[in-house]
Amino acid sequence: KDVTERKRFEEIIQSINANMKAVLESTADGILAIDRNYRYTMFNQSHANAMKRLFGREIKAGDNFLKALPANLSRIAKAEVSKVFNGQQFSTSIQIAKKSILDASYNPIHDEKREIIGAALFISDITDQKKIEEKMKSLNEELIKQNEQMAVQEEELKAALEELSERNFELDQLMYKSSHDLRSPLSSIMGLVNLANLDKDTVNRDSYL
């Protein structure tokens, strides 16, 4: 029996599977697929590592995905996957205690008849991203607060400069008036002193003085 053609197709399939596995393992995101009984049909190493790190669970193909999760997360995951089995495709975020914040994309898997036979999940750890976003939000709020304070200080400075300008004007007016008021009596005094110096008569000098 000539099996050349079958061997050729087997090699093609193996090559496709190898390429697919290489793609799945090239990302830090967790990728998994489950059937309608919530059993793993495939997952990449990133997902296996995350399950070990977060929940201390070793997983293998055929394991029940829901049973591999803690009870509280299992209830949430079951509700989300049930939506996928009803044809929905969506993304959501969830915080795993204080350890990690995960972003999960849920997608239905169809067979050749377009019937849903499972669900594919793409899970990203966005903990660092969220920390950066919170830091940026905090810095932005602080910047807004400082800008508001600077605006208040600018208004106060503007008011102080206007008051100082008014005081300077009043001072100029005072100096002008004072110099004008002093000029006339000083001129009279200087004139009398000059007359006293010019007049040799002692009696008149005393009168000037």
Side-chain angles (χ1 to χ4, degrees):
K1 187 175 181 179
D2 190 350
V3 294
T4 305
E5 192 70 10
R6 188 183 72 184
K7 286 293 184 182
R8 189 173 70 83
F9 281 117
E10 286 177 355
E11 290 175 358
I12 292 173
I13 292 171
Q14 289 176 358
S15 176
I16 292 172
N17 287 337
N19 290 336
M20 183 180 297
K21 184 175 181 181
V23 171
L24 293 176
E25 297 300 342
S26 67
T27 177
D29 295 345
I31 301 174
L32 65 135
I34 57 176
D35 61 21
R36 293 190 70 95
N37 294 317
Y38 304 98
R39 293 190 301 262
Y40 281 109
T41 56
M42 62 78 59
F43 54 83
N44 65 354
Q45 192 61 43
S46 293
H47 175 66
N49 293 341
M51 294 295 287
K52 177 67 175 179
R53 183 181 74 256
L54 295 173
F55 313 120
R57 304 292 174 86
E58 297 277 359
I59 58 173
K60 62 182 184 298
D63 285 350
N64 189 295
F65 171 60
L66 300 180
K67 291 181 180 179
L69 298 171
N72 60 326
L73 293 179
S74 178
R75 288 191 295 270
I76 296 172
K78 185 175 182 179
E80 301 289 24
V81 173
S82 295
K83 297 178 186 177
V84 178
F85 291 158
N86 289 325
Q88 295 187 42
Q89 182 178 8
F90 59 94
S91 296
T92 185
S93 296
I94 186 171
Q95 182 160 355
I96 310 299
K98 294 182 179 180
K99 296 180 180 179
S100 299
I101 301 175
L102 304 179
D103 184 74
S105 173
Y106 294 81
N107 306 271
I109 300 174
H110 300 85
D111 62 9
E112 64 276 3
K113 297 179 181 179
R114 298 302 298 168
E115 293 180 356
I116 298 174
I117 59 173
L121 280 70
F122 300 86
I123 303 172
S124 303
D125 190 332
I126 58 173
T127 308
D128 292 338
Q129 176 184 334
K130 286 294 183 182
K131 287 180 179 178
I132 293 173
E133 288 177 358
E134 289 298 321
K135 184 67 174 177
M136 292 295 292
K137 181 180 178 182
S138 177
L139 290 174
N140 190 50
E141 290 174 351
E142 181 64 24
L143 182 60
I144 292 173
K145 184 178 179 181
Q146 290 180 0
N147 286 339
E148 290 174 349
Q149 291 176 348
M150 288 179 65
V152 172
Q153 292 174 353
E154 185 177 353
E155 288 298 320
E156 292 175 350
L157 179 60
K158 183 178 179 181
L161 288 174
E162 289 177 354
E163 184 177 356
L164 180 60
S165 179
E166 292 176 1
R167 293 291 180 268
N168 284 337
F169 177 76
E170 292 173 358
L171 183 60
D172 288 342
Q173 291 297 102
L174 176 63
M175 292 297 294
Y176 175 79
K177 184 177 180 181
S178 298
S179 62
H180 182 272
D181 291 346
L182 288 173
R183 185 179 292 112
S184 181
L186 285 174
S187 297
S188 297
I189 293 171
M190 290 299 295
L192 291 170
V193 170
N194 288 332
L195 286 174
N197 286 331
L198 294 172
D199 198 336
K200 303 302 181 181
D201 189 340
T202 306
V203 176
N204 291 336
R205 183 185 303 169
D206 292 339
S207 177
Y208 293 141
L209 296 176

mmCIF file of all heavy atoms in Angstrom, residues 138-162:
data_model
loop_
_atom_site.group_PDB
_atom_site.id
_atom_site.type_symbol
_atom_site.label_atom_id
_atom_site.label_comp_id
_atom_site.label_asym_id
_atom_site.label_seq_id
_atom_site.Cartn_x
_atom_site.Cartn_y
_atom_site.Cartn_z
ATOM 1 N N SER A 138 -1.885 60.206 39.475
ATOM 2 C CA SER A 138 -1.517 60.923 40.689
ATOM 3 C C SER A 138 -0.677 62.161 40.368
ATOM 4 O O SER A 138 -0.905 63.253 40.919
ATOM 5 C CB SER A 138 -0.747 59.992 41.627
ATOM 6 O OG SER A 138 -0.310 60.680 42.783
ATOM 7 N N LEU A 139 0.293 61.983 39.452
ATOM 8 C CA LEU A 139 1.146 63.111 39.067
ATOM 9 C C LEU A 139 0.341 64.194 38.363
ATOM 10 O O LEU A 139 0.571 65.390 38.575
ATOM 11 C CB LEU A 139 2.278 62.617 38.155
ATOM 12 C CG LEU A 139 3.348 61.746 38.819
ATOM 13 C CD1 LEU A 139 4.321 61.203 37.767
ATOM 14 C CD2 LEU A 139 4.121 62.537 39.870
ATOM 15 N N ASN A 140 -0.608 63.770 37.543
ATOM 16 C CA ASN A 140 -1.445 64.732 36.827
ATOM 17 C C ASN A 140 -2.317 65.526 37.793
ATOM 18 O O ASN A 140 -2.472 66.750 37.653
ATOM 19 C CB ASN A 140 -2.317 63.992 35.811
ATOM 20 C CG ASN A 140 -3.033 64.940 34.865
ATOM 21 O OD1 ASN A 140 -2.415 65.818 34.284
ATOM 22 N ND2 ASN A 140 -4.327 64.768 34.715
ATOM 23 N N GLU A 141 -2.879 64.833 38.799
ATOM 24 C CA GLU A 141 -3.689 65.512 39.806
ATOM 25 C C GLU A 141 -2.842 66.498 40.610
ATOM 26 O O GLU A 141 -3.293 67.605 40.925
ATOM 27 C CB GLU A 141 -4.335 64.482 40.738
ATOM 28 C CG GLU A 141 -5.430 63.657 40.068
ATOM 29 C CD GLU A 141 -5.960 62.559 40.962
ATOM 30 O OE1 GLU A 141 -5.356 62.335 42.045
ATOM 31 O OE2 GLU A 141 -6.964 61.917 40.591
ATOM 32 N N GLU A 142 -1.618 66.092 40.923
ATOM 33 C CA GLU A 142 -0.717 66.968 41.665
ATOM 34 C C GLU A 142 -0.355 68.192 40.812
ATOM 35 O O GLU A 142 -0.276 69.313 41.329
ATOM 36 C CB GLU A 142 0.554 66.199 42.049
ATOM 37 C CG GLU A 142 1.562 67.000 42.861
ATOM 38 C CD GLU A 142 1.047 67.423 44.215
ATOM 39 O OE1 GLU A 142 0.134 66.761 44.747
ATOM 40 O OE2 GLU A 142 1.557 68.434 44.751
ATOM 41 N N LEU A 143 -0.141 67.965 39.512
ATOM 42 C CA LEU A 143 0.185 69.067 38.611
ATOM 43 C C LEU A 143 -0.983 70.052 38.508
ATOM 44 O O LEU A 143 -0.779 71.271 38.531
ATOM 45 C CB LEU A 143 0.531 68.513 37.230
ATOM 46 C CG LEU A 143 0.941 69.539 36.160
ATOM 47 C CD1 LEU A 143 2.180 70.310 36.609
ATOM 48 C CD2 LEU A 143 1.199 68.855 34.829
ATOM 49 N N ILE A 144 -2.191 69.524 38.413
ATOM 50 C CA ILE A 144 -3.381 70.384 38.361
ATOM 51 C C ILE A 144 -3.494 71.199 39.640
ATOM 52 O O ILE A 144 -3.782 72.411 39.608
ATOM 53 C CB ILE A 144 -4.649 69.528 38.148
ATOM 54 C CG1 ILE A 144 -4.643 68.914 36.745
ATOM 55 C CG2 ILE A 144 -5.911 70.361 38.352
ATOM 56 C CD1 ILE A 144 -5.758 67.920 36.509
ATOM 57 N N LYS A 145 -3.246 70.550 40.782
ATOM 58 C CA LYS A 145 -3.313 71.238 42.067
ATOM 59 C C LYS A 145 -2.276 72.358 42.144
ATOM 60 O O LYS A 145 -2.567 73.473 42.605
ATOM 61 C CB LYS A 145 -3.088 70.226 43.200
ATOM 62 C CG LYS A 145 -3.221 70.804 44.590
ATOM 63 C CD LYS A 145 -3.028 69.720 45.640
ATOM 64 C CE LYS A 145 -3.135 70.301 47.041
ATOM 65 N NZ LYS A 145 -2.929 69.232 48.088
ATOM 66 N N GLN A 146 -1.051 72.061 41.682
ATOM 67 C CA GLN A 146 0.007 73.078 41.696
ATOM 68 C C GLN A 146 -0.324 74.234 40.755
ATOM 69 O O GLN A 146 -0.066 75.398 41.073
ATOM 70 C CB GLN A 146 1.345 72.434 41.308
ATOM 71 C CG GLN A 146 1.894 71.494 42.370
ATOM 72 C CD GLN A 146 3.220 70.875 41.959
ATOM 73 O OE1 GLN A 146 3.746 71.150 40.880
ATOM 74 N NE2 GLN A 146 3.776 70.035 42.820
ATOM 75 N N ASN A 147 -0.910 73.917 39.600
ATOM 76 C CA ASN A 147 -1.308 74.972 38.662
ATOM 77 C C ASN A 147 -2.375 75.875 39.271
ATOM 78 O O ASN A 147 -2.354 77.096 39.076
ATOM 79 C CB ASN A 147 -1.817 74.358 37.357
ATOM 80 C CG ASN A 147 -0.701 73.797 36.496
ATOM 81 O OD1 ASN A 147 0.455 74.184 36.647
ATOM 82 N ND2 ASN A 147 -1.033 72.887 35.595
ATOM 83 N N GLU A 148 -3.306 75.267 39.990
ATOM 84 C CA GLU A 148 -4.351 76.057 40.655
ATOM 85 C C GLU A 148 -3.740 76.966 41.717
ATOM 86 O O GLU A 148 -4.122 78.133 41.851
ATOM 87 C CB GLU A 148 -5.396 75.127 41.280
ATOM 88 C CG GLU A 148 -6.255 74.400 40.248
ATOM 89 C CD GLU A 148 -7.174 73.373 40.886
ATOM 90 O OE1 GLU A 148 -6.992 73.088 42.092
ATOM 91 O OE2 GLU A 148 -8.068 72.850 40.179
ATOM 92 N N GLN A 149 -2.786 76.414 42.491
ATOM 93 C CA GLN A 149 -2.119 77.217 43.511
ATOM 94 C C GLN A 149 -1.339 78.359 42.871
ATOM 95 O O GLN A 149 -1.339 79.491 43.381
ATOM 96 C CB GLN A 149 -1.180 76.329 44.344
ATOM 97 C CG GLN A 149 -1.910 75.324 45.227
ATOM 98 C CD GLN A 149 -0.958 74.394 45.958
ATOM 99 O OE1 GLN A 149 0.232 74.340 45.645
ATOM 100 N NE2 GLN A 149 -1.468 73.661 46.931
ATOM 101 N N MET A 150 -0.669 78.076 41.747
ATOM 102 C CA MET A 150 0.094 79.111 41.052
ATOM 103 C C MET A 150 -0.835 80.197 40.511
ATOM 104 O O MET A 150 -0.492 81.385 40.522
ATOM 105 C CB MET A 150 0.904 78.489 39.913
ATOM 106 C CG MET A 150 2.093 77.667 40.380
ATOM 107 S SD MET A 150 2.995 76.924 38.997
ATOM 108 C CE MET A 150 3.606 78.392 38.166
ATOM 109 N N ALA A 151 -2.023 79.793 40.046
ATOM 110 C CA ALA A 151 -2.990 80.769 39.547
ATOM 111 C C ALA A 151 -3.452 81.690 40.675
ATOM 112 O O ALA A 151 -3.560 82.912 40.482
ATOM 113 C CB ALA A 151 -4.190 80.047 38.929
ATOM 114 N N VAL A 152 -3.691 81.107 41.855
ATOM 115 C CA VAL A 152 -4.087 81.911 43.020
ATOM 116 C C VAL A 152 -2.969 82.864 43.416
ATOM 117 O O VAL A 152 -3.199 84.060 43.678
ATOM 118 C CB VAL A 152 -4.469 80.993 44.205
ATOM 119 C CG1 VAL A 152 -4.685 81.815 45.475
ATOM 120 C CG2 VAL A 152 -5.719 80.190 43.879
ATOM 121 N N GLN A 153 -1.735 82.342 43.451
ATOM 122 C CA GLN A 153 -0.582 83.177 43.801
ATOM 123 C C GLN A 153 -0.370 84.284 42.779
ATOM 124 O O GLN A 153 0.009 85.404 43.130
ATOM 125 C CB GLN A 153 0.676 82.302 43.911
ATOM 126 C CG GLN A 153 0.652 81.340 45.093
ATOM 127 C CD GLN A 153 1.833 80.389 45.080
ATOM 128 O OE1 GLN A 153 2.608 80.359 44.135
ATOM 129 N NE2 GLN A 153 1.961 79.605 46.142
ATOM 130 N N GLU A 154 -0.632 83.972 41.495
ATOM 131 C CA GLU A 154 -0.486 84.981 40.447
ATOM 132 C C GLU A 154 -1.501 86.111 40.639
ATOM 133 O O GLU A 154 -1.166 87.293 40.466
ATOM 134 C CB GLU A 154 -0.677 84.331 39.077
ATOM 135 C CG GLU A 154 -0.424 85.274 37.908
ATOM 136 C CD GLU A 154 -0.552 84.590 36.562
ATOM 137 O OE1 GLU A 154 -0.710 83.361 36.542
ATOM 138 O OE2 GLU A 154 -0.499 85.292 35.542
ATOM 139 N N GLU A 155 -2.729 85.732 41.009
ATOM 140 C CA GLU A 155 -3.757 86.746 41.266
ATOM 141 C C GLU A 155 -3.381 87.596 42.482
ATOM 142 O O GLU A 155 -3.566 88.821 42.472
ATOM 143 C CB GLU A 155 -5.105 86.062 41.498
ATOM 144 C CG GLU A 155 -5.735 85.472 40.239
ATOM 145 C CD GLU A 155 -6.027 86.532 39.198
ATOM 146 O OE1 GLU A 155 -6.474 87.630 39.564
ATOM 147 O OE2 GLU A 155 -5.797 86.257 37.998
ATOM 148 N N GLU A 156 -2.861 86.933 43.518
ATOM 149 C CA GLU A 156 -2.440 87.668 44.713
ATOM 150 C C GLU A 156 -1.293 88.624 44.382
ATOM 151 O O GLU A 156 -1.262 89.768 44.855
ATOM 152 C CB GLU A 156 -2.017 86.685 45.813
ATOM 153 C CG GLU A 156 -3.173 85.866 46.380
ATOM 154 C CD GLU A 156 -2.701 84.832 47.383
ATOM 155 O OE1 GLU A 156 -1.462 84.626 47.485
ATOM 156 O OE2 GLU A 156 -3.559 84.231 48.059
ATOM 157 N N LEU A 157 -0.344 88.152 43.563
ATOM 158 C CA LEU A 157 0.791 88.984 43.162
ATOM 159 C C LEU A 157 0.311 90.166 42.320
ATOM 160 O O LEU A 157 0.786 91.295 42.489
ATOM 161 C CB LEU A 157 1.795 88.144 42.378
ATOM 162 C CG LEU A 157 3.046 88.876 41.865
ATOM 163 C CD1 LEU A 157 3.826 89.469 43.029
ATOM 164 C CD2 LEU A 157 3.937 87.931 41.058
ATOM 165 N N LYS A 158 -0.637 89.892 41.428
ATOM 166 C CA LYS A 158 -1.187 90.956 40.588
ATOM 167 C C LYS A 158 -1.859 92.025 41.449
ATOM 168 O O LYS A 158 -1.673 93.233 41.228
ATOM 169 C CB LYS A 158 -2.192 90.356 39.602
ATOM 170 C CG LYS A 158 -2.772 91.354 38.621
ATOM 171 C CD LYS A 158 -3.719 90.670 37.643
ATOM 172 C CE LYS A 158 -4.323 91.676 36.676
ATOM 173 N NZ LYS A 158 -5.280 91.012 35.735
ATOM 174 N N ALA A 159 -2.636 91.568 42.436
ATOM 175 C CA ALA A 159 -3.308 92.508 43.343
ATOM 176 C C ALA A 159 -2.285 93.307 44.137
ATOM 177 O O ALA A 159 -2.438 94.521 44.343
ATOM 178 C CB ALA A 159 -4.242 91.745 44.276
ATOM 179 N N ALA A 160 -1.195 92.630 44.602
ATOM 180 C CA ALA A 160 -0.155 93.310 45.374
ATOM 181 C C ALA A 160 0.564 94.358 44.521
ATOM 182 O O ALA A 160 0.877 95.458 44.998
ATOM 183 C CB ALA A 160 0.841 92.288 45.913
ATOM 184 N N LEU A 161 0.820 94.018 43.228
ATOM 185 C CA LEU A 161 1.481 94.971 42.331
ATOM 186 C C LEU A 161 0.593 96.188 42.061
ATOM 187 O O LEU A 161 1.083 97.319 42.000
ATOM 188 C CB LEU A 161 1.832 94.276 41.015
ATOM 189 C CG LEU A 161 2.982 93.253 41.077
ATOM 190 C CD1 LEU A 161 3.124 92.525 39.748
ATOM 191 C CD2 LEU A 161 4.291 93.938 41.453
ATOM 192 N N GLU A 162 -0.711 95.939 41.916
ATOM 193 C CA GLU A 162 -1.639 97.057 41.708
ATOM 194 C C GLU A 162 -1.673 97.965 42.934
ATOM 195 O O GLU A 162 -1.674 99.202 42.808
ATOM 196 C CB GLU A 162 -3.032 96.508 41.403
ATOM 197 C CG GLU A 162 -3.145 95.851 40.034
ATOM 198 C CD GLU A 162 -4.517 95.247 39.782
ATOM 199 O OE1 GLU A 162 -5.341 95.243 40.743
ATOM 200 O OE2 GLU A 162 -4.778 94.780 38.662
#
